[in-house]
Amino acid sequence: MQIDEEQLKKFISESGLVSKTDFNSVIKLAEIKKQKFGDALLSEGKILETDLKRMEAFVLGIPFISLVKEKIDLSVLSLIPEPIARNDNIVAYKKTEKGLEVAMLDVDDLPVIDFIKKRSGLKILPRLTDTISIKAVLMQYRKSLQAEFSNIISKDSAILTSNSTSNTEEKSELELKQMAEDLPVVKIVDSLITHAILQNASDIHIEPGEKDLTVRYRIDGILHDAMTLDKNAGAGITARIKVLSNLKLDEKRLPQDGRFKKEQDGEKISFRVSTLPTFFGEKTVMRILKENTHGFSLESLGFHGEGLERIHTSLTQKTGMVLATGPTGSGKTTTLYTMLDILNRPEVNISTVEDPIEYQMPRVNQTQVKPEIGLTFANGLRSLLRQDPDIIMVGEIRDGETAGLAVNASLTGHLVLSTIHTNSAAGAVPRLIDMGVEPFLITATVKTIIAQRLVRRLTSTKEKYFLSPEEIKNLARVVDLDRMLAFLKAEKLVGANDTWEKIPFYKPVKSNDSEDGYSNRVGMHEVLKVTPTIKDMIISGKSQDDIEAQAKKEGMMTMLEDGVYQAVLGVTTLEEVFRVVSE
């Protein structure tokens, strides 16, 4: 179903939705950029998407459907799996004798129509819709599944509670194994995992209390209560997770770590499992890692300007170290993988030592650390150096031995990428010295240090506002406003004569797409380049604060300043920046 471009131009011209001047300028622009006329109108902001889709539907002779306030029956909605609906922007909304009516953004997507026809065994009737409608229906998937899972869990945990004996009794390994294979337990654990994946959670916390069992999901860095189960369901759920991750069932006094994999809707997902004895029983935490997540760029992670240039320069070096620092879950590994992706060319040999392997990369030799059999970071790195690598990635520098080996690897002609736990870029220097690395070796090897945190991203339904004089005064207490304004002017985000009163900021607005006005996360970064001046300061034993002050003089944007930069861009809010970076 191809749209006749000439006919679309004619209808839009006659509709009066676009002025004649805009209409003619967009036609020329579309020819230069070799874009479709409709796409050019949208990208230039000359027409609303809903109006364009209505026009396209009119040209094609098919109905335009708005589903913003429509409640779709779950049996019809689930005829198209949620990942396909999300990726291909297509949803099923009505089933009649004539066939299945599907709303989509691109009715020319024949492979997906064919797939749904084969899957459902029904005649497919395509209808045009807009992005807002698709987003509204995707939220219905989540709510319907949430209700469905809550029903499964409440029903199954009731069965589980009635079947279980008193929690005070110690169960043998055989009894625990039988509990783990019990159908209600299997269904509950599967439901918890599936639900977490659909919610884009990064962690699942299963916490025993005095009277009940709380399940929480970490979504976009913040924990949310998912559900509360009966306390007696805890033993079976923990046993099931232990069976999946090959942990000892009858060991409840010591912490245990394990992992397992699962495939959902064609996506490979790894789970890192940790159990910890607490006063009311074993607490279980599962970290969710999507293995085939890829396609990031440094720009999409939030890098820009001078910081981005510094990273690209350090990646062109043949030797030296590039370090990513920050707390657990701040996106350090994603940054390293994105850099590896840039460096991943046929003429170089890239080898990694990781715990765990979070993303699988083609043409990269990835080694999983196994401390229980003696394969530590240090031993893995020692062996890896005999494998003729050009570029080495060490998942984390945790001790002096690994730090020493990583430094030696970079001295002997390798580019080494790694992570280290510190709060700021300058903080990596005293941390390495504390691990036993000599200052003169740090200056000889470390080229660039990146510190980062993740902030929640605003959705498109954000609200613009301007700072009051009082708010500007409060902002001046934590950020050098003149320096910040110079950064914004240098990157042409604000006009040459703009003041803080004229710079817009944004607030979150609740919508169908998000309950709190945020969705996904983006990084705030500071990129410290180890310049000759900073090398002299490291050798002479200057403090972390002195090194940071010098780096700022040399043009480093601090993490807090980068957060304000992201807030001016409209990517996040000032409140979110201060929540994450409270110094």
Side-chain angles (χ1 to χ4, degrees):
M1 250 189 277
Q2 288 264 332
I3 293 169
D4 186 321
E5 284 279 291
E6 292 309 312
Q7 213 172 350
L8 180 66
K9 287 176 190 172
K10 182 173 176 264
F11 282 134
I12 289 173
S13 170
E14 289 171 358
S15 71
L17 288 167
V18 180
S19 71
K20 237 181 187 146
T21 317
D22 286 344
F23 184 85
N24 294 328
S25 68
V26 172
I27 283 180
K28 285 174 190 167
L29 190 75
E31 282 170 10
I32 294 163
K33 290 189 173 180
K34 292 181 179 165
Q35 259 184 320
K36 287 183 178 176
F37 178 66
D39 292 343
L41 275 176
L42 265 185
S43 62
E44 290 300 300
K46 304 299 181 190
I47 194 168
L48 293 172
E49 190 206 19
T50 308
D51 291 335
L52 176 65
K53 291 292 175 190
R54 284 183 191 278
M55 283 290 168
E56 287 180 353
F58 189 61
V59 170
L60 290 166
I62 59 169
F64 172 85
I65 299 293
S66 176
L67 300 170
V68 175
K69 291 176 183 172
E70 292 293 317
K71 179 80 184 78
I72 300 165
D73 186 79
L74 182 60
S75 62
V76 176
L77 191 65
S78 52
L79 286 169
I80 298 176
E82 198 257 5
I84 289 166
R86 187 178 295 280
N87 293 334
D88 295 301
N89 292 307
I90 180 167
V91 290
Y93 70 95
K94 194 175 178 184
K95 190 177 163 188
T96 62
E97 291 171 5
K98 291 178 182 174
L100 182 67
E101 292 189 32
V102 298
M104 52 201 304
L105 294 183
D106 178 13
V107 289
D108 202 25
D109 194 346
L110 300 177
V112 76
I113 293 172
D114 196 43
F115 169 79
I116 293 157
K117 184 180 177 181
K118 283 175 185 168
R119 184 187 165 88
S120 64
L122 298 165
K123 185 184 177 187
I124 305 300
L125 306 168
R127 310 286 185 244
L128 259 184
T129 192
D130 51 17
T131 308
I132 302 167
S133 293
I134 295 284
K135 283 185 174 177
V137 178
L138 288 173
M139 281 302 292
Q140 287 188 40
Y141 270 101
R142 187 174 286 184
K143 285 172 184 165
S144 304
L145 286 161
Q146 208 159 344
E148 192 185 330
F149 288 141
S150 298
N151 288 341
I152 289 170
I153 286 164
S154 56
K155 192 165 70 186
D156 286 336
S157 62
I159 296 165
L160 192 63
T161 309
S162 61
N163 291 348
S164 68
T165 54
S166 169
N167 223 34
T168 53
E169 288 179 27
E170 280 298 318
K171 294 178 179 65
S172 70
E173 188 175 0
L174 186 65
E175 283 178 305
L176 286 165
K177 198 165 187 190
Q178 284 170 346
M179 279 181 81
E181 287 164 3
D182 215 9
L183 193 62
V185 175
V186 173
K187 279 171 78 177
I188 285 176
V189 172
D190 282 355
S191 299
L192 289 177
I193 288 170
T194 311
H195 192 191
I197 293 165
L198 287 167
Q199 296 248 50
N200 275 330
S202 61
D203 302 82
I204 305 170
H205 291 240
I206 300 164
E207 302 167 340
E210 188 178 1
K211 292 175 182 165
D212 45 32
L213 187 77
T214 307
V215 179
R216 299 197 286 169
Y217 293 151
R218 189 177 292 281
I219 301 165
D220 291 341
I222 292 175
L223 278 169
H224 300 267
D225 279 5
M227 53 204 70
T228 306
L229 305 175
D230 191 277
K231 174 79 186 280
N232 292 333
I237 289 170
T238 304
R240 174 66 187 159
I241 294 165
K242 282 182 173 180
V243 165
L244 287 171
S245 44
N246 288 321
L247 299 178
K248 290 178 185 172
L249 288 174
D250 54 347
E251 180 56 86
K252 297 179 180 181
R253 297 164 305 161
L254 290 171
Q256 294 188 73
D257 292 306
R259 49 178 58 88
F260 66 94
K261 289 189 181 186
K262 179 179 167 57
E263 195 163 314
Q264 185 167 311
D265 300 312
E267 192 171 31
K268 285 182 183 170
I269 297 155
S270 291
F271 294 85
R272 233 191 300 177
V273 177
S274 169
T275 67
L276 181 77
T278 66
F279 188 74
F280 294 113
E282 279 184 289
K283 178 186 173 181
T284 307
V285 176
M286 290 190 274
R287 164 66 57 94
I288 302 169
L289 304 162
K290 293 180 180 176
E291 285 187 6
N292 30 9
T293 304
H294 53 79
F296 290 117
S297 65
L298 289 171
E299 291 84 351
S300 69
L301 296 180
F303 290 98
H304 57 87
E306 178 69 19
L308 185 64
E309 288 300 316
R310 286 176 173 186
I311 294 171
H312 279 301
T313 305
S314 64
L315 295 181
T316 59
Q317 308 290 313
K318 292 281 182 274
T319 62
M321 285 178 81
V322 179
L323 294 173
T325 79
T328 307
S330 60
K332 302 185 295 293
T333 311
T334 305
T335 300
L336 285 195
Y337 274 110
T338 306
M339 292 195 277
L340 278 187
D341 204 30
I342 294 165
L343 294 164
N344 194 358
R345 299 185 307 275
E347 61 267 24
V348 292
N349 173 19
I350 303 177
S351 297
T352 75
V353 192
E354 304 171 60
D355 183 28
I357 294 170
E358 294 193 17
Y359 308 124
Q360 287 173 347
M361 293 190 79
R363 303 180 75 99
V364 174
N365 311 291
Q366 296 171 275
T367 304
Q368 168 74 56
V369 167
K370 288 193 177 94
E372 63 274 14
I373 59 165
L375 180 54
T376 60
F377 272 115
N379 287 342
L381 183 50
R382 203 176 275 113
S383 305
L384 198 148
L385 287 168
R386 293 194 283 272
Q387 291 274 316
D388 182 34
D390 297 295
I391 297 161
I392 296 166
M393 193 261 263
V394 184
E396 189 185 331
I397 294 176
R398 293 179 183 170
D399 52 51
E401 194 180 2
T402 311
L405 283 164
V407 164
N408 283 328
S410 62
L411 280 171
T412 53
H414 305 92
L415 179 63
V416 179
L417 310 180
S418 191
T419 72
I420 189 167
H421 282 273
T422 62
N423 287 328
S424 67
V429 175
R431 181 84 182 98
L432 286 169
I433 293 169
D434 182 48
M435 283 181 181
V437 181
E438 294 288 350
F440 70 88
L441 287 175
I442 295 173
T443 59
T445 56
V446 179
K447 299 278 190 270
T448 308
I449 307 167
I450 303 154
Q452 64 183 78
R453 297 284 190 289
L454 294 176
V455 284
R456 291 180 295 164
R457 245 181 211 280
L458 283 166
T459 60
S460 54
T461 52
K462 55 198 172 191
E463 184 187 318
K464 188 190 282 191
Y465 75 100
F466 294 89
L467 296 179
S468 66
E470 190 59 39
E471 285 170 323
I472 293 170
K473 205 182 287 179
N474 288 338
L475 186 62
R477 290 194 184 113
V478 285
V479 178
D480 181 337
L481 293 185
D482 293 338
R483 177 180 149 86
M484 194 66 235
L485 201 56
F487 276 131
L488 295 172
K489 286 175 181 175
E491 295 207 24
K492 296 188 168 54
L493 273 195
V494 298
N497 302 318
D498 279 357
T499 57
W500 284 103
E501 289 82 2
K502 291 180 184 174
I503 296 171
F505 287 86
Y506 296 85
K507 291 177 183 173
V509 176
K510 292 182 182 183
S511 66
N512 280 332
D513 195 28
S514 169
E515 288 172 19
D516 54 10
Y518 295 101
S519 177
N520 295 324
R521 288 185 291 173
V522 70
M524 297 188 298
H525 308 90
E526 57 186 36
V527 183
L528 187 151
K529 185 182 179 187
V530 183
T531 59
T533 323
I534 289 173
K535 282 179 183 179
D536 292 342
M537 293 178 84
I538 295 169
I539 295 285
S540 56
K542 289 280 194 281
S543 73
Q544 177 181 328
D545 292 343
D546 291 340
I547 292 170
E548 188 167 300
Q550 180 59 32
K552 282 172 76 173
K553 279 182 198 165
E554 292 175 4
M556 180 183 86
M557 192 185 274
T558 66
M559 215 166 344
L560 191 57
E561 288 166 343
D562 193 37
V564 174
Y565 176 93
Q566 301 281 9
V568 172
L569 268 181
V571 172
T572 189
T573 61
L574 283 174
E575 291 76 13
E576 181 66 7
V577 170
F578 295 129
R579 179 186 72 79
V580 174
V581 184
S582 47
E583 291 176 345

